[in-house]
Amino acid sequence: MGGADCNSTDFGAAAYWDARYSSPSTGGKGRGGFFDWYQAYPALRPILRACVPTSSRVLMLGCGNSLLSEDMAKDGYEDIVNMDISSVVIEQMKEKHMDIPQLTYMQMDVRDMSLFADGSFDCVIDKGTLDAMMCGDDAPHGASRMLAEVARITRPGGIYI
């Protein structure tokens, strides 16, 4: 990322991510079809296995086109809901993973997850979404709204990673 066409305030906007996932030069389908922020599943597996039983209902915030959910499903995780603000990447991932029933994909804004009931998830995984929210036009208010929603939809005793 970077350059004259990349403004940090874009990171909280759906239009930025739709354009990113549509362009082969910035991580879209033409560049291998995936991008993992920070760490891939092999590095995260020991932590996830220690903290998150495979029977847990997991929400992946800002899933993008990461391989994390796919790798978790291959490793025995049974129910992973993936959400992203970008309708472009959600459609790409729905198509890519149509044969993996453990994975569900939804276009949604983390600042308003009202489609989910209180306490819907055992675990919420965030691998860069809060960082992106802190670069948005409404930061830190948007980040605060996101974290309030995460707290609401995580079951009592659940975990936010």
Side-chain angles (χ1 to χ4, degrees):
M1 285 197 232
D5 61 341
C6 183
N7 180 336
S8 66
T9 59
D10 292 335
F11 293 159
Y16 170 82
W17 295 105
D18 284 347
R20 179 180 175 89
Y21 291 118
S22 295
S23 171
S25 66
T26 56
K29 288 177 92 172
R31 199 175 104 189
F34 71 91
F35 182 81
D36 268 308
W37 293 94
Y38 305 124
Q39 293 291 327
Y41 185 64
L44 298 173
R45 185 182 190 273
I47 298 165
L48 292 173
R49 283 303 209 147
C51 299
V52 184
T54 57
S55 61
S56 300
R57 185 165 192 231
V58 176
L59 176 64
M60 192 72 61
L61 296 180
C63 64
N65 56 13
S66 168
L67 296 177
L68 184 62
S69 295
E70 178 182 344
D71 290 342
M72 288 176 68
K74 288 176 182 173
D75 197 31
Y77 284 89
E78 301 168 8
D79 186 5
I80 305 169
V81 177
N82 298 277
M83 59 164 291
D84 200 284
I85 198 169
S86 170
S87 59
V88 170
V89 80
I90 289 297
E91 289 307 312
Q92 290 172 357
M93 297 305 278
K94 278 182 179 179
E95 182 180 331
K96 178 180 180 190
H97 295 129
M98 67 175 51
D99 296 331
I100 304 176
Q102 302 93 319
L103 303 179
T104 304
Y105 287 89
M106 302 176 72
Q107 189 277 328
M108 191 179 303
D109 188 324
V110 296
R111 295 166 287 199
D112 178 9
M113 296 187 277
S114 55
L115 289 177
F116 300 131
D118 295 358
S120 294
F121 295 93
D122 301 302
C123 175
V124 177
I125 298 175
D126 169 6
K127 206 166 64 106
T129 303
L130 183 58
D131 292 354
M133 293 305 303
M134 289 305 296
C135 294
D137 286 336
D138 66 344
H141 179 66
S144 178
R145 286 177 33 216
M146 173 192 142
L147 291 172
E149 280 290 86
V150 167
R152 182 186 67 75
I153 64 171
T154 303
R155 73 161 172 76
I159 185 171
Y160 170 62
I161 300 175

